[in-house]
């Protein structure tokens, strides 16, 4: 069965947080959120979780849920292993004083991680375009 894949944003303290949402149970408005959590001070971790449709959550940014493709149900684990676990989550990149640890390397946050995961899933044929 083909499942819809979206990007979605939630309100963040200094910037919004972006994630991939897969609608695995449309009749119940439930699915899986694939994202990294943490900060560029401490580093981030890949933390997938089951969730209601993000549009129903109070932290959801209105009109931010955008369908980016579809995935076959049998490719869900492949997506997790070959994309989400293959792309390293953002590491610690600043000190408590805000000094950059790697000044010659652009900051890498959840948005950049998500873009790399999405591009890998498309390249491997896991995400099918609309």
């Amino acid at each position: 069965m083909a499942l819809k894949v979206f990007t979605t944003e939630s309100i963040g303290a200094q910037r919004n947080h972006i994630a991939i949402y897969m609608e695995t149970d449309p009749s119940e408005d439930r699915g899986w959120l694939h994202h990294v959590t943490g900060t560029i001070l401490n580093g981030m971790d890949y933390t997938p979780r089951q969730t209601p449709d993000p549009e129903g959550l109070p932290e959801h940014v209105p009109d931010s849920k955008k369908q980016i493709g579809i995935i076959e149900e049998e490719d869900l684990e492949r997506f997790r292993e070959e994309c989400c676990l293959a792309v390293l989550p953002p590491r610690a990149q600043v000190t408590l004083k805000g000094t950059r640890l790697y000044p010659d390397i652009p900051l890498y946050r959840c948005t950049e991680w998500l873009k790399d995961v999405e591009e890998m899933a498309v390249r491997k044929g896991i995400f099918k375009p609309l």
Side-chain angles (χ1 to χ4, degrees):
M1 175 168 85
L3 306 170
K4 294 177 181 178
V5 179
F6 303 87
T7 57
T8 185
E9 289 184 44
S10 57
I11 297 170
Q14 294 185 349
R15 59 179 37 223
N16 288 345
H17 177 68
I18 188 166
I20 290 175
Y21 172 70
M22 294 180 176
E23 189 178 69
T24 55
D25 191 352
S27 65
E28 296 290 324
D29 283 335
R30 296 195 58 80
W32 277 88
L33 200 67
H34 294 272
H35 63 146
V36 289
T37 57
T39 65
I40 59 172
L41 175 65
N42 296 315
M44 299 183 189
D45 295 304
Y46 168 58
T47 53
R49 65 179 168 89
Q50 284 189 312
T51 183
D53 186 325
E55 288 181 309
L57 301 176
E59 66 271 15
H60 177 72
V61 174
D63 302 319
S64 69
K65 184 178 162 190
K66 309 271 192 258
Q67 187 172 359
I68 58 172
I70 58 170
I71 186 172
E72 294 299 326
E73 194 168 4
E74 59 268 14
D75 284 333
L76 290 173
E77 186 61 24
R78 185 172 166 224
F79 168 71
R80 191 182 77 76
E81 289 179 8
E82 294 182 24
C83 301
C84 296
L85 293 173
V87 176
L88 295 177
R91 61 184 173 175
Q93 299 166 71
V94 297
T95 67
L96 278 173
K97 293 180 181 181
T99 306
R100 304 249 320 250
L101 295 172
Y102 314 100
D104 295 336
I105 300 173
L107 291 177
Y108 189 77
R109 296 181 169 103
C110 64
T111 302
E112 290 79 19
W113 179 85
L114 183 125
K115 181 185 262 188
D116 289 346
V117 167
E118 181 182 344
E119 287 174 359
M120 183 175 284
V122 169
R123 216 173 30 251
K124 289 179 173 271
I126 297 170
F127 286 178
K128 314 294 189 279
L130 298 175

